[in-house]
Amino acid sequence: MMEYRPNGDSESLVRIAKGAFTLRAVERETVGPWIRDVVARGAEPFGAFDGDRLLSAYVLYSYRMRFRASVLAMGGIGSVCSALDARGSGSVRFLLAQSLRTILDKGQPISVLSPFDRSFYRKYGWETFSRFQRLELSPGQLRIPQAEAAYAVEELESPDAASRSFYNRMASSQYNLVERGNGEWAQRTELRPWHEDTAARGVVKVSRGGEVVGLIGHAVWRESKGESTVTVDPFLFADEGAKREILRFLERLSHQVKVIRFDIPEDLELW
């Protein structure tokens, strides 16, 4: 008989994750440190067990995010996986049904995940919550006129207090953003051994009159062809002038970066 319970043995999760996610040999050594890191920062692993044997597992992240007119507690589901010899046993179905009970018991009225397959999770009760657009262009395609107001642009390895405050104000006023504390920002900005193709991670803040009015998260990494790419996520601005100043910063990367990749709201126009 299957039993659902917290999984205090992160190594058992590592073992089944390696096969479930089809990790190459070069990637396998990064799984253990990554799982131990997110658990140390407050994420909670749960599993479906047959006795002491772990059949399937997931990791629960606790966040707060805006939903309709309120900021609510949210349970984020991640790293859902099952042992190869447990496929077809019903353990994932059992696991996800129990995960909803856990989320509600924790006072988290909503749950969000990024699915590998929408139809798979729709069977268990999740529905599409948001869509985004991915835009890719070269910095040279940006032609942004000089701003009329005076802005200051600063790149930071991790966000300072003013940047964190600005982000959380934006998160509490917009859909699909979770509030972030120090742990969440560390996951987004620190370079780890498993970021082997990444040269830099951090944020860029835009200020006007000493007040933060724009913020992006960015990562600089190397594509398989050796070309440098910058990913931008999130892309937040208080007004059109701040948005243009962010784009001007990205435009100036044209001698170093081949591609800029934006993941932005579906209805956002860059210019």
Side-chain angles (χ1 to χ4, degrees):
M1 183 175 178
M2 291 185 204
E3 180 185 1
Y4 170 85
R5 62 177 186 263
N7 179 23
D9 178 16
S10 61
E11 295 307 314
S12 63
L13 174 55
V14 171
R15 284 195 298 273
I16 67 172
K18 289 178 178 179
F21 298 134
T22 322
L23 298 176
R24 300 171 301 166
V26 70
E27 299 168 319
R28 290 189 168 209
E29 296 307 313
T30 69
V31 179
W34 177 76
I35 290 176
R36 287 189 286 271
D37 180 68
V38 297
V39 170
R41 296 182 186 278
E44 299 176 89
F46 291 85
F49 292 83
D50 179 6
D52 293 331
R53 177 177 167 236
L54 181 64
L55 303 176
S56 57
Y58 77 95
V59 177
L60 177 63
Y61 300 83
S62 296
Y63 296 115
R64 289 173 55 82
M65 70 179 297
R66 183 170 185 257
F67 181 73
R68 296 177 180 164
S70 303
V71 177
L72 303 174
M74 186 272 279
I77 299 286
S79 304
V80 179
C81 56
S82 64
L84 297 181
D85 59 358
R87 302 291 169 88
S89 67
S91 68
V92 171
R93 179 183 295 275
F94 172 74
L95 181 79
L96 291 177
Q98 295 298 318
S99 75
L100 296 176
R101 295 178 183 272
T102 298
I103 289 166
L104 291 175
D105 287 346
K106 287 180 170 291
Q108 299 167 332
I110 56 174
S111 171
V112 176
L113 52 80
S114 180
F116 76 93
D117 182 279
R118 283 185 170 85
S119 63
F120 176 84
Y121 284 99
R122 183 169 283 131
K123 293 186 299 185
Y124 302 110
W126 279 269
E127 283 294 344
T128 300
F129 177 69
S130 66
R131 300 180 187 275
F132 68 91
Q133 58 175 324
R134 172 164 291 174
L135 301 179
E136 294 188 1
L137 65 159
S138 70
Q141 291 177 270
L142 296 169
R143 291 291 184 266
I144 310 301
Q146 181 69 42
E148 296 180 3
Y151 291 91
V153 180
E154 185 178 2
E155 183 182 20
L156 304 171
E157 290 185 355
S158 60
D160 56 18
S163 301
R164 293 195 300 269
S165 178
F166 173 78
Y167 173 88
N168 282 336
R169 286 200 308 273
M170 297 293 284
S172 66
S173 64
Q174 297 186 20
Y175 295 126
N176 312 333
L177 294 176
V178 297
E179 294 181 349
R180 295 180 186 171
N182 291 337
E184 288 77 31
W185 276 116
Q187 292 176 29
R188 289 279 185 159
T189 56
E190 292 179 0
L191 279 175
R192 301 292 177 143
W194 50 91
H195 299 136
E196 59 177 324
D197 294 326
T198 305
R201 304 176 86 203
V203 301
V204 175
K205 74 171 181 178
V206 175
S207 304
R208 185 181 62 232
E211 178 184 359
V212 179
V213 292
L215 186 74
I216 62 169
H218 75 293
V220 184
W221 54 289
R222 186 178 57 207
E223 296 270 19
S224 58
K225 297 179 182 179
E227 298 174 344
S228 295
T229 296
V230 170
T231 56
V232 176
D233 180 31
F235 182 0
L236 302 174
F237 49 89
D239 53 43
E240 184 69 17
K243 180 178 77 169
R244 286 172 174 259
E245 200 62 30
I246 291 170
L247 293 174
R248 280 174 49 76
F249 165 81
L250 296 170
E251 179 186 350
R252 293 193 293 270
L253 303 179
S254 58
H255 295 297
Q256 301 164 276
V257 173
K258 183 73 172 179
V259 175
I260 301 175
R261 180 173 298 147
F262 297 86
D263 286 342
I264 55 179
E266 199 171 32
D267 59 352
L268 176 62
E269 293 183 352
L270 287 183
W271 65 82

